[in-house]
Amino acid sequence: KWKGEGTTQNLESIVIGRCYEYIRLVNPAVGEKNCSQIWEAFKNAFINKDPCNILPEDYELFINLTFHTIPPNKSLFWENNQLLVTSLAARGRRYMSVGDTLFGFLADFLIWCGQADSPGLDYESCPTMAECENNAVDSFWRIASVTYAKHSSGVVQVLLNGSAEGGAYPQPGFFADYEIPNFQKDKISQVVIWVVDDIEGPDRDSCGTNSVKTLETRLKTLGFDVTCTDNYKSVMFLLCLDYPDHSKCAFASSAPAAQRGPISSD
Ligand code: ENP
């Protein structure tokens, strides 16, 4: 009856399995957590309720049970490039995006919803954002975003897609509406923005233009130290894995031949 895809099959097993994987293998530094209690808290946020009337607060117990600190300088905010972020962050080894925190990790890539007057999950369909804002998935990411932004500190990174149709810095968007407003001025020393175009995509947005300019101005007005880099090299290397022969991926040195080192010994 809803327009969105239904609940991911085997949701309970996935969430509980991911929970153990996270606390035992991915990030044991978070310490002991009760994975079955975490699943119960997650489920109780939306089960047996109108799927269009789930609020971020309904996940409060879940957030409290899964909460852990976010290492300084590791936060990575993003819009419109989830797969790139997943490989750049490397499950928290390089950066810790919200999907690399325990609370985000448990839900990443999943869909879920319940139904009023029934204790079951709806595997047939779930409401989309267009059908209702207060659906189980969007309300979840709202509280996850707020929690993540509030606890981010040091130098924070923002990876934006310069080829995105709606602009690199979408408004409305989770970053604009739930993350920036929760940045703690006294904890964040710098905001580093990276605007990276898709290898074969158009160059719609760059540092200092269009929506990125709006973002830079907003952050500076809020008193943050802001830097912005177009096509940041480390991220380009990752993208270029899939396009080794593309002209954008020819990382030739511009140094004179002699500076690149001798070819033969003499
Ligand atoms: P999209 O629309 O590109 O990608 C949505 C996909 O990313 C879904 O599979 C979703 O999992 C997963 N995801 C991981 N973290 C988030 C998230 N944090 N979030 C919404 N979905 C997330 O993402 P958006 O809507 O632009 O959101 C990007 C935001 O994530 C940025 O604000 C960034 O700073 C933040 P699922 O369970 O829905 O299938 C917040 C909202 O980290």
Side-chain angles (χ1 to χ4, degrees):
K1 63 177 167 350
W2 302 106
K3 294 207 175 73
E5 259 182 80
T7 301
T8 309
Q9 296 283 339
N10 308 104
L11 185 76
E12 176 173 356
S13 303
I14 295 173
V15 172
I16 294 176
R18 281 183 175 185
C19 179
Y20 285 115
E21 184 177 13
Y22 193 91
I23 65 169
R24 299 292 176 240
L25 303 169
V26 177
N27 190 8
V30 300
E32 202 55 35
K33 302 281 179 194
N34 185 335
C35 291
S36 39
Q37 194 187 6
I38 286 170
W39 162 253
E40 289 300 318
F42 180 72
K43 188 179 70 174
N44 288 334
F46 60 90
I47 219 79
N48 244 317
K49 295 185 193 171
D50 172 357
C52 276
N53 193 20
I54 311 298
L55 298 174
E57 302 87 87
D58 294 329
Y59 290 99
E60 227 159 65
L61 177 59
F62 168 86
I63 292 288
N64 289 338
L65 293 173
T66 52
F67 183 75
H68 57 84
T69 55
I70 293 153
N73 310 318
K74 288 257 200 165
S75 288
L76 175 59
F77 297 86
W78 57 275
E79 289 285 3
N80 295 307
N81 44 28
Q82 193 192 18
L83 296 179
L84 178 60
V85 165
T86 304
S87 51
L88 179 64
R91 296 182 128 204
R93 280 190 289 264
R94 204 178 282 116
Y95 295 105
M96 188 176 280
S97 70
V98 69
D100 304 302
T101 64
L102 174 57
F103 45 96
F105 188 84
L106 298 181
D108 215 4
F109 295 99
L110 306 179
I111 299 170
W112 62 93
C113 65
Q115 30 205 346
D117 316 312
S118 150
L121 297 161
D122 189 341
Y123 293 100
E124 297 299 314
S125 65
C126 289
T128 59
M129 181 71 178
E131 286 173 295
C132 55
E133 237 191 314
N134 293 330
N135 65 70
V137 173
D138 282 292
S139 290
F140 173 90
W141 288 113
R142 271 176 222 138
I143 193 169
S145 283
V146 168
T147 307
Y148 176 70
K150 271 190 185 158
H151 292 92
S152 289
S153 64
V155 178
V156 304
Q157 286 65 225
V158 187
L159 178 55
L160 302 176
N161 186 336
S163 301
E165 232 170 87
Y169 169 61
Q171 284 182 288
F174 281 97
F175 182 58
D177 301 332
Y178 299 97
E179 296 176 327
I180 295 178
N182 287 294
F183 277 1
Q184 305 292 295
K185 180 79 232 333
D186 50 328
K187 292 209 301 186
I188 294 182
S189 56
Q190 191 175 43
V191 183
V192 169
I193 304 169
W194 297 319
V195 184
V196 181
D197 299 332
D198 292 335
I199 297 294
E200 294 187 311
D203 175 10
R204 287 202 169 95
D205 245 352
S206 310
C207 295
T209 69
N210 306 321
S211 75
V212 184
K213 186 175 185 177
T214 308
L215 170 63
E216 290 172 86
T217 306
R218 177 175 181 194
L219 290 169
K220 283 177 188 158
T221 306
L222 288 169
F224 292 103
D225 176 4
V226 182
T227 70
C228 187
T229 306
D230 287 307
N231 295 318
Y232 174 55
K233 218 166 165 187
S234 295
V235 175
M236 291 303 290
F237 282 126
L238 272 181
L239 286 176
C240 284
L241 277 178
D242 295 322
Y243 301 90
D245 298 325
H246 196 282
S247 61
K248 283 188 185 170
C249 297
F251 295 97
S253 167
S254 57
Q259 250 174 272
R260 275 188 251 130
I263 291 166
S264 59
S265 55
D266 51 9

